[in-house]
Amino acid sequence: MPIFQAQSITAGYKNRGVIKDCSFSLDAGSITGILGANGSGKTTLIKAVCGILPHRGTCTLDGTALETLSARQLSQVCGYIPQRSGIQIDIPVIDVVLMGFHASLGLLERPTESMRRSAVGALAKVGLGGYAEHNYQKLSEGQKQLCILARTLVCDRRLLLLDEPESALDYAMRHRTLDLLRTYVRHTGGCALVALHDPILALNACDRLLFLRDGTTAGSVSPMTDDPAETERLLRMIYGDVRLLRVEEQWVLLRDGK
Amino acid sequence: MLALALCSLFIGKYPLSPGLLLSGDDMQWRVFLTLRLPRVLVGLIGGFALGVCGFVFQTVFSNPLASPDIVGVSSGASTGAAAGILFFSGVSAGAAVTASAFVGALFAAVTAIVLSTLDKSSKNSTIVLAGIAVHALSQTALMALKLTADPERELASIEYWMMGSLNGITLSECGGNLVLTVLCCAVLFFLHRQIILLSAEEGEARMLGVSVGKMRLTVLITATLTVAAVISGTGLISFIGLLAPHIARLLTGENRISTMLLGGITGGILLLGADILARTAWAAELPVSIFTSLLGAPFLIWLVLGKRNARV
């Protein structure tokens, strides 16, 4: 059952329109992947839904238009992972994770002991147990992404928006990230919209895929239930001559002739 | 810092002794209350505030070279002080110059901040550019004021004010400034969590629940008010806002409320130390900025050349 609907989203930068009239919905407990070539508008779509980019159209979560929410209210229902975090200062890893609680703290409140324990737990979940007091700037790019993932998963939110959260991760951690996301949305009953570069990961880890081409929705499929021929047609539209195969319960994508 | 403050109370041209003070010597008490105590309080609180504001500016702009000058507060204060020296040189000239410098500093900083809000993208770089424009305008006004100044008296006073000094500060002139400084510093400490969050990329900070535009404006105006309150009383004091937060970070290796506090304490130590040197290094009293610059300039070179990858 859909808990989030995006209606006719149009967004861009200054005079350049990137996303044109995109509409889609997200079901409770599901992960929806956005696939598209470079420059197709994946990041722009995520930023428009967040409200970081001004846009036309409406995004509704549980019946509430996200556009009407203050930054604080939005943060309480929606978590966001940017492609790369803009934190440039020397700061302990635990403090980065605790930033996730900011919206639930009053002006003069400090994170509680239980929040601190949750933050340490979230770090352990993403494989950064023992890094709590390390300097965030000294982590590798992949570890930084995991730290930001921990910051997003540390609170219960209805909608997660993730912009290529796996781009700096190794093979095992990419799958671990998507597994953690799956557990999270199932546990909270929320939903996740994830822009992904890796179509094979997307095919195997997402409940639904949204294909973007030149800023418009080219189509959407559920890889596990829909006709593979339709999924292959959409994949070919974006990646050229590719073939979709099912091998031991996993989707595999081959370049034609290879 | 407190030990240095205690030393500072008893160092100077007129020797003070704890014994004579305790015995109730009238002259000793007069010097202590009217000259030494205000000087030490301004050194302590002013240095602390400059260190805290340096931390705030460097964190909000994620720039290790950022300081309150970035929004033109120092050049505005100089222009205000020069106007005060030229136009209010009668009775209670000191208080008039302090008030005029304060108004100049605030006017320059608020102009820069308001100009930056005209750009809807509200990027940090817009504030920096607006600050550069306001700085240039203030310098032009300052040059015009200097041209009309009497070279014997007024011009020398303007130049001396711009070198900064804690000499001759009285509580009647600076009491209000000190109260304002303490209040603004308290507000900055209350907002420390938001200040750290502002160091993130704008969209990221917004999605963490920060109203970026409003909060950045609040923090910058509060920090600017603090610096304006300090330097309008003391004259320009170089490098403490730049130096103190870096020393604090070298000691703690992180950016937390404790680092902000340590930046303030370091600022207090630097200003009190520089003031003691200014009083004792030469027969005549020297401007305090000579000593803060002697420390600050090599540090800046080290920061630029030696630590190319310097972070906040």
Side-chain angles (χ1 to χ4, degrees):
Chain A
M1 186 186 149
I3 55 168
F4 173 84
Q5 275 106 16
Q7 286 283 332
S8 309
I9 300 295
T10 298
Y13 304 89
K14 295 207 168 158
N15 298 323
R16 188 169 61 91
V18 178
I19 291 290
K20 295 150 211 154
D21 203 26
C22 269
S23 296
F24 59 93
S25 60
L26 307 177
D27 288 338
S30 74
I31 301 175
T32 301
I34 310 174
L35 285 178
N38 288 332
S40 59
K42 299 187 293 293
T43 296
T44 308
L45 180 61
I46 296 259
K47 285 187 173 176
V49 173
C50 286
I52 293 173
L53 272 184
H55 61 272
R56 285 205 303 275
T58 52
C59 298
T60 316
L61 179 67
D62 293 324
T64 307
L66 295 184
E67 292 81 5
T68 62
L69 301 180
S70 66
R72 194 180 184 79
Q73 290 167 327
L74 184 65
S75 172
Q76 284 166 346
V77 292
C78 178
Y80 166 64
I81 297 189
Q83 247 176 43
R84 180 174 288 204
S85 169
I87 297 171
Q88 300 289 330
I89 61 171
D90 288 321
I91 184 168
V93 166
I94 186 82
D95 285 11
V96 175
V97 181
L98 286 169
M99 285 177 176
F101 289 109
H102 173 73
S104 49
L105 289 171
L107 186 66
L108 303 181
E109 275 182 303
R110 301 183 67 177
T112 61
E113 227 7 82
S114 92
M115 287 175 180
R116 204 164 275 277
R117 277 196 300 275
S118 301
V120 171
L123 281 172
K125 262 190 206 168
V126 299
L128 289 180
Y131 280 82
E133 291 301 325
H134 282 227
N135 183 348
Y136 174 79
Q137 297 302 340
K138 296 203 170 147
L139 300 182
S140 70
E141 285 305 314
Q143 286 173 319
K144 283 181 186 174
Q145 274 191 332
L146 291 170
C147 177
I148 300 299
L149 178 69
R151 182 179 78 185
T152 310
L153 300 184
V154 79
C155 295
D156 283 357
R157 293 192 175 93
R158 295 287 282 165
L159 171 65
L160 294 186
L161 300 161
L162 302 96
D163 191 2
E164 294 174 16
E166 87 306 1
S167 55
L169 300 181
D170 60 37
Y171 177 82
M173 279 321 296
R174 284 177 178 208
H175 285 271
R176 174 121 180 88
T177 296
L178 270 294
D179 287 345
L180 283 168
L181 263 186
R182 176 169 304 283
T183 310
Y184 182 89
V185 293
R186 295 276 152 81
H187 171 72
T188 59
C191 55
L193 181 66
V194 194
L196 291 165
H197 253 315
D198 180 351
I200 302 173
L201 179 68
L203 283 161
N204 288 300
C206 296
D207 301 296
R208 194 151 187 84
L209 294 177
L210 190 69
F211 292 85
L212 277 187
R213 191 184 185 200
D214 299 329
T216 55
T217 317
S220 73
V221 290
S222 297
M224 295 301 166
T225 53
D226 286 350
D227 180 7
E230 172 63 3
T231 309
E232 191 177 77
R233 185 186 71 79
L234 290 166
L235 286 165
R236 278 171 174 266
M237 193 186 288
I238 289 167
Y239 301 109
D241 293 334
V242 290
R243 215 147 33 94
L244 185 63
L245 296 178
R246 188 85 176 146
V247 181
E248 293 183 10
E249 301 297 305
Q250 297 274 308
W251 291 114
V252 178
L253 204 59
L254 295 177
R255 293 275 295 166
D256 250 4
K258 304 258 167 123
Chain B
M1 183 167 74
L2 291 177
L4 210 60
L6 206 63
C7 286
S8 183
L9 282 171
F10 294 96
I11 292 173
K13 291 249 156 31
Y14 188 87
L16 288 184
S17 90
L20 286 171
L21 271 173
L22 288 174
S23 70
D25 185 296
D26 214 28
M27 190 60 184
Q28 291 265 322
W29 272 105
R30 202 173 304 158
V31 171
F32 179 79
L33 290 175
T34 56
L35 293 176
R36 297 288 165 78
L37 189 61
R39 188 169 190 149
V40 169
L41 280 178
V42 170
L44 206 67
I45 296 171
F48 183 89
L50 290 176
V52 167
C53 290
F55 176 90
V56 169
F57 275 86
Q58 287 169 11
T59 307
V60 170
F61 288 100
S62 293
N63 182 343
L65 298 177
S67 71
D69 294 346
I70 215 164
V71 288
V73 62
S74 298
S75 46
S78 305
T79 311
I85 290 165
L86 289 184
F87 304 125
F88 308 105
S89 53
V91 194
S92 68
V97 172
T98 300
S100 181
F102 182 72
V103 171
L106 268 196
F107 183 74
V110 170
T111 306
I113 292 169
V114 168
L115 278 177
S116 73
T117 59
L118 297 178
D119 176 13
K120 297 291 176 221
S121 67
S122 65
K123 286 179 183 159
N124 277 341
S125 57
T126 317
I127 299 179
V128 176
L129 287 174
I132 291 170
V134 168
H135 172 76
L137 284 173
S138 302
Q139 287 300 314
T140 310
L142 181 62
M143 277 191 279
L145 289 171
K146 279 180 173 177
L147 271 177
T148 61
D150 160 28
E152 293 283 313
R153 262 180 339 107
E154 292 165 341
L155 192 58
S157 295
I158 293 171
E159 293 296 348
Y160 190 76
W161 188 92
M162 287 175 64
M163 287 190 264
S165 174
L166 304 189
N167 186 22
I169 282 174
T170 62
L171 277 183
S172 58
E173 279 172 22
C174 286
N177 290 32
L178 285 183
V179 172
L180 183 63
T181 306
V182 171
L183 286 177
C184 287
C185 278
V187 171
L188 290 174
F189 273 95
F190 284 141
L191 295 177
H192 80 275
R193 202 154 35 86
Q194 283 81 350
I195 290 167
I196 299 284
L197 281 164
L198 283 173
S199 69
E201 185 253 329
E202 185 168 346
E204 190 180 354
R206 183 177 183 276
M207 291 306 292
L208 288 167
V210 183
S211 300
V212 177
K214 280 183 206 161
M215 188 48 67
R216 188 162 49 200
L217 206 62
T218 308
V219 166
L220 289 184
I221 286 179
T222 311
T224 302
L225 206 61
T226 316
V227 176
V230 174
I231 63 172
S232 59
T234 60
L236 297 191
I237 293 174
S238 329
F239 287 109
I240 286 183
L242 178 75
L243 206 57
H246 281 291
I247 294 172
R249 277 189 214 102
L250 281 175
L251 293 172
T252 63
E254 60 193 17
N255 286 276
R256 278 178 162 164
I257 189 170
S258 52
T259 319
M260 192 164 156
L261 183 68
L262 191 59
I265 292 171
T266 311
I269 289 172
L270 287 174
L271 187 51
L272 281 173
D275 183 48
I276 291 174
L277 285 172
R279 274 185 270 170
T280 54
W282 199 254
E285 181 154 339
L286 297 171
V288 76
S289 273
I290 289 182
F291 296 98
T292 55
S293 300
L294 268 177
L295 263 176
F299 183 80
L300 186 62
I301 294 168
W302 174 71
L303 204 64
V304 173
L305 297 178
K307 285 186 80 188
R308 280 185 193 280
N309 296 322
R311 280 189 307 266
V312 170

